[in-house]
Amino acid sequence: WHAYELDLVNYKNTCRLIRGWDELFTKLKENIASLGAMKLSPYYKVFEEDAATWEDRLNRVNALFDVWIDVQRRWVYLEGIFTGSEDIKHLLPTETSRFRGVSAEFTGVMKKVAKTPLVLEVLALPNAQRQLERLADLLTKIQKALGEYLERERSG
């Protein structure tokens, strides 16, 4: 894991996004399962402390990237809408403004990741989990407001 780098791909020259999610989550699940299986070993006590440290670390990586994949997917979806449509900017100025703020923050985080794409370095980014959870919440609210607006347009 010390050498495991995220697979990054350039996105519209705005930032680099993470790809290869399946590989990342598969490796995490396999390693967490292996650590669980080690607990059954009669020699487990010898390396229990190291195993517990790694189990905690891998569970934190899993939790972080669970939120991250959601934020990235929502951001890509909404980015296409809010940067591609002049109508939306005029019709939903509050959401457009909110999205710009979220977008600036998200691309800032992705630029940090591009500088140090090692998974364990990303895990060490200060407040990354909290920041991504907040971005996920904001993106959900923006997406909900957009959906409500489109629904009103359809039924109106």
Side-chain angles (χ1 to χ4, degrees):
W1 280 99
H2 288 289
Y4 192 81
E5 276 194 24
L6 294 168
D7 185 8
L8 301 174
V9 61
N10 200 16
Y11 180 78
K12 294 185 181 178
N13 293 320
T14 52
C15 65
R16 296 173 63 78
L17 295 179
I18 301 169
R19 67 176 175 190
W21 291 102
D22 290 346
E23 185 184 324
L24 174 66
F25 285 117
T26 299
K27 184 177 169 83
L28 276 165
K29 282 184 185 82
E30 285 171 358
N31 284 209
I32 290 168
S34 294
L35 286 166
M38 286 178 194
K39 290 177 182 173
L40 304 174
S41 164
Y43 307 106
Y44 181 68
K45 285 279 178 230
V46 178
F47 52 85
E48 183 175 10
E49 206 173 295
D50 282 344
T53 300
W54 272 106
E55 190 170 27
D56 173 63
R57 195 176 289 153
L58 294 178
N59 280 317
R60 284 186 300 130
V61 168
N62 199 42
L64 177 66
F65 287 108
D66 253 356
V67 177
W68 206 304
I69 191 172
D70 180 52
V71 169
Q72 182 172 296
R73 281 185 182 142
R74 287 177 192 271
W75 179 82
V76 167
Y77 170 73
L78 291 169
E79 195 269 346
I81 292 168
F82 285 103
T83 59
S85 169
E86 286 303 315
D87 289 348
I88 291 291
K89 289 176 191 171
H90 296 300
L91 297 167
L92 296 172
T94 305
E95 276 65 34
T96 300
S97 173
R98 274 193 193 144
F99 181 75
R100 278 196 197 117
V102 168
S103 189
E105 195 174 335
F106 178 70
T107 55
V109 170
M110 293 314 295
K111 284 176 180 148
K112 285 182 197 166
V113 170
K115 284 183 191 146
T116 58
L118 293 168
V119 168
L120 295 180
E121 301 261 336
V122 172
L123 183 63
L125 289 173
N127 299 316
Q129 182 80 31
R130 205 171 311 123
Q131 184 178 25
L132 284 160
E133 285 170 356
R134 192 174 50 72
L135 289 176
D137 187 48
L138 289 168
L139 287 167
T140 300
K141 286 176 180 163
I142 294 167
Q143 197 168 349
K144 186 174 185 259
L146 176 67
E148 286 168 358
Y149 167 76
L150 294 172
E151 194 56 45
R152 278 195 310 275
E153 285 299 296
R154 257 184 259 149
S155 59

